[in-house]
Amino acid sequence: MPLADPDTIVIFDTTLRDGEQSPGATMSLAEKIRMAQQLEQLGVDVLEAGFAASSLGDFEAIAAIAEEIEHTRVCSLARANIADIDRAAESLLRAKKSRIHVFIATSPLHMAYKLGKKPDEVLRMIESSITHAAACSGDVEFSCEDASRSDPDFMLQACKTAVACGARTLNIPDTVGYAQPEEFAARIAYVRERIDPNVVISVHCHNDLGLAVANTLAAFRAGARQAEVTICGIGERAGNAALEEVIMALTVRRPYYRLSHAIKTEQIYPTARRLSRIIGQPLARNKPVVGANAFAHESGIHQAGVLKNPETYEIMTPASIGLPNNAIVMGKHSGKNAVKAKLESMGYHLDGAQIDMVLASVKRLADKKKEIYDEDLEALVLEEIYRIPDKYALIHLGVQSGDTGLPPTAVLVLDVDGKRVQHACFGVGPVDAVFQAIACVTKHKPKLEQYSVNSITGGTDALGEVTVRISENGNSAIGRGSDPDIINASARAYVNALNRLSKKQEEV
Ligand code: KIV
Ligand code: ZN
């Protein structure tokens, strides 16, 4: 994929591959497709959908994304061997535009201890694998893993071999987040000056020392024209360079970098929220660009300044990243067309029956809650439309807690495979009582790894969104539930997690 414009950055998103390697960020097939659709709306140029040879699940996800995605180039990762490359090529058969990304380590440490190979063997592997990849695909990227700890001359030799065999993008990863900005920029300049200018130099920076974005931006100044990034910086260990930070640096400081990109910045916030919902990890309040505090002004002096002129303390506008202004969107009297239009503006393209389901739950919620915001609507969509077919469903729940002299008690009715089962349990608190009762009825004994409750919007009548992560016999699952009553939300989240867990267990 030669660059049309040398001053444009290619955004290569690896949220679904490196990002998914982040602890706790595993996504189901349906979730990966939803995320890929949103990444396409965001305007990423290349979307790395997975590592085809690593598992059947990854292979199927890449194939499904390749089929679904219309304009974005879909990429599949492969080690430098023929079997991996064939698997990557097979996963991309239905892609409209595709790329094979081949990697092998070039640092002395990785070659000796991980690969058990001599440098000249590694060069031969690059030669044979890239030649094969180029025969399978017109768009081949080569990565020298652990590049920042590789001997620069050997790394260059590896890159030249890859280019001679057909690679059109050369990726220089800082695999362990070891590089420092000036040093990394010097390495990129060294490669840039010695490689055919038609070959795109890419960078892939990890964040172990908190420098992934700084290293990426420094690399642009040295001639890199592709950045491998993830939404919210999720990825192995401390993560990767965050797409939203790299993009907003290029956008806000355009006169400094003089580089353009194809990202629709107003899709940044909806994309970050979608990811956060899918992986069940709330956006940190102080997260640059998309955190809740990014546009909040606490001190009186700042507030006064912002009221007079937002530019006093805001270098970008909330609208530029697509942050909703929290205008009330829906209510009791909203009609189908309004719901449809609103959902489409939020990136959800639903059919008529699905819109009817969302509308019915908007009306139900409007009976309990006066004002319904974008975030509430999104929670309803996830709850109504994207919930996996349920083995267990919560029918009724009653809880007593407080200072009554009795232990907190939960009484519930669950539907288990179409049969109603009722049960009651005591607990140390109301949530404990509910979870124990559900576990008892479903005959599961999962460990609760994580429990978090978030208020989706402001006010005491806000929807509470509960996320739980449970594990049992080596399988783990995330569940979400939202309701103005957080005990109900907790029960729904727990049941949702058990449905996912039992689906996983059945698959195994
Ligand atoms: O961090 C890394 O080196 C990688 C490669 C596979 C590009 O993720
Ligand atoms: Zn990586």
Side-chain angles (χ1 to χ4, degrees):
M1 189 177 78
L3 267 190
D5 173 0
D7 294 330
T8 298
I9 297 293
V10 175
I11 293 296
F12 176 114
D13 181 275
T14 183
T15 306
L16 297 176
R17 199 277 299 168
D18 212 323
E20 217 225 357
Q21 291 171 216
S22 157
T26 324
M27 298 175 227
S28 68
L29 175 65
E31 289 168 337
K32 284 188 184 174
I33 295 174
R34 264 167 52 220
M35 200 58 222
Q37 288 165 333
Q38 181 59 38
L39 289 167
E40 177 159 65
Q41 292 225 11
L42 177 65
V44 305
D45 300 285
V46 186
L47 189 166
E48 189 165 54
F51 180 178
S54 71
S55 70
L56 182 61
D58 253 40
F59 176 88
E60 285 174 348
I62 302 165
I65 290 169
E67 175 139 28
E68 185 68 31
I69 291 300
E70 289 297 326
H71 308 290
T72 310
R73 191 169 292 269
V74 180
C75 175
S76 187
L77 182 68
R79 284 166 297 194
N81 67 61
I82 305 297
D84 267 33
I85 291 167
D86 284 343
R87 197 74 177 137
E90 198 186 336
S91 69
L92 293 169
L93 280 176
R94 305 190 81 100
K96 285 100 208 153
K97 290 195 272 176
S98 66
R99 170 178 294 186
I100 297 179
H101 177 189
V102 180
F103 75 100
I104 192 165
T106 50
S107 68
L109 202 65
H110 278 226
M111 287 191 289
Y113 292 96
K114 199 181 80 174
L115 300 176
K117 302 264 179 229
K118 299 256 180 300
D120 57 337
E121 286 178 277
V122 168
L123 289 179
R124 282 202 297 276
M125 287 172 78
I126 296 173
E127 206 170 82
S128 58
S129 62
I130 298 294
T131 305
H132 185 66
C136 298
S137 167
D139 188 337
V140 176
E141 170 171 332
F142 170 68
S143 281
C144 19
E145 194 190 3
D146 205 17
S148 51
R149 295 191 297 172
S150 300
D151 169 66
D153 290 334
F154 179 67
M155 187 193 79
L156 183 66
Q157 211 183 339
C159 288
K160 284 190 165 165
T161 306
V163 170
C165 297
R168 286 289 155 262
T169 301
L170 285 177
N171 185 37
I172 312 294
D174 180 24
T175 302
V176 289
Y178 176 76
Q180 301 297 303
E182 283 178 5
E183 171 199 49
F184 193 57
R187 187 176 284 268
I188 299 305
Y190 177 75
V191 180
R192 179 65 292 169
E193 282 154 18
R194 288 162 180 81
I195 293 283
D196 173 354
N198 291 315
V199 171
V200 178
I201 306 295
S202 165
V203 289
H204 173 114
C205 297
H206 278 271
N207 206 27
D208 300 65
L209 294 173
L211 292 171
V213 170
N215 284 336
T216 303
L217 294 172
F220 293 158
R221 306 271 296 162
R225 287 295 178 268
Q226 174 177 288
E228 301 201 354
V229 289
T230 60
I231 302 299
C232 296
I234 65 166
E236 276 280 355
R237 305 181 310 280
N240 292 62
L243 178 147
E244 64 279 6
E245 295 175 31
V246 169
I247 289 299
M248 290 319 283
L250 290 180
T251 307
V252 171
R253 300 301 307 273
R254 175 94 210 253
Y256 179 75
Y257 288 104
R258 296 169 188 273
L259 293 169
S260 50
H261 57 78
I263 295 295
K264 298 183 190 76
T265 62
E266 63 289 354
Q267 286 294 329
I268 284 180
Y269 184 73
T271 310
R273 269 196 70 80
R274 184 168 294 190
L275 176 71
S276 143
R277 288 289 175 88
I278 286 177
I279 63 175
Q281 295 176 12
L283 298 173
R285 296 193 77 82
N286 64 343
K287 169 83 193 60
V289 184
V290 293
N293 290 354
F295 297 96
H297 303 280
E298 182 67 24
S299 102
I301 297 176
H302 288 206
Q303 285 170 352
V306 168
L307 284 176
K308 286 184 192 131
N309 180 349
E311 282 178 29
T312 50
Y313 288 100
E314 283 181 3
I315 59 168
M316 53 193 147
T317 63
S320 69
I321 62 145
L323 194 73
N325 63 4
N326 252 2
I328 301 162
V329 291
M330 293 290 137
K332 242 190 178 77
H333 306 293
S334 303
K336 190 167 174 176
N337 287 340
V339 172
K340 182 171 188 280
K342 187 71 209 174
L343 289 174
E344 279 178 1
S345 77
M346 293 164 67
Y348 291 101
H349 302 276
L350 306 184
D351 64 30
Q354 291 173 321
I355 292 171
D356 285 339
M357 282 166 75
V358 176
L359 184 60
S361 57
V362 164
K363 300 209 181 249
R364 273 197 303 276
L365 181 61
D367 281 336
K368 301 188 203 165
K369 187 176 187 293
K370 257 201 338 254
E371 298 161 338
I372 298 178
Y373 300 101
D374 280 6
E375 289 90 335
D376 296 321
L377 194 59
E378 190 174 32
L380 294 179
V381 172
L382 295 182
E383 191 103 1
E384 293 293 338
I385 309 299
Y386 294 113
R387 184 169 283 271
I388 59 165
D390 290 340
K391 175 175 172 129
Y392 312 117
L394 182 68
I395 307 296
H396 297 297
L397 173 67
V399 172
Q400 83 76 32
S401 70
D403 193 11
T404 61
L406 290 167
T409 316
V411 184
L412 52 77
V413 180
L414 277 191
D415 187 306
V416 180
D417 279 331
K419 262 183 35 200
R420 299 267 159 127
V421 187
Q422 59 188 34
H423 196 70
C425 252
F426 295 133
V428 291
V431 173
D432 182 45
V434 169
F435 286 6
Q436 287 206 46
I438 296 172
C440 205
V441 171
T442 57
K443 301 190 172 49
H444 280 281
K445 281 199 179 133
K447 183 168 169 228
L448 182 65
E449 308 265 5
Q450 182 201 326
Y451 171 90
S452 63
V453 52
N454 249 325
S455 155
I456 294 185
T457 50
T460 51
D461 67 347
L463 269 191
E465 185 180 59
V466 173
T467 306
V468 299
R469 181 190 307 283
I470 57 174
S471 67
E472 191 180 54
N473 305 330
N475 289 312
S476 66
I478 289 178
R480 275 180 298 272
S482 51
D483 196 281
D485 176 330
I486 58 168
I487 305 294
N488 265 335
S490 304
R492 286 163 162 273
Y494 199 67
V495 170
N496 182 224
L498 282 172
N499 277 317
R500 287 165 179 244
L501 190 74
S502 59
K503 189 152 189 271
K504 265 192 190 169
Q505 289 170 340
E506 277 162 25
E507 279 169 9
V508 170

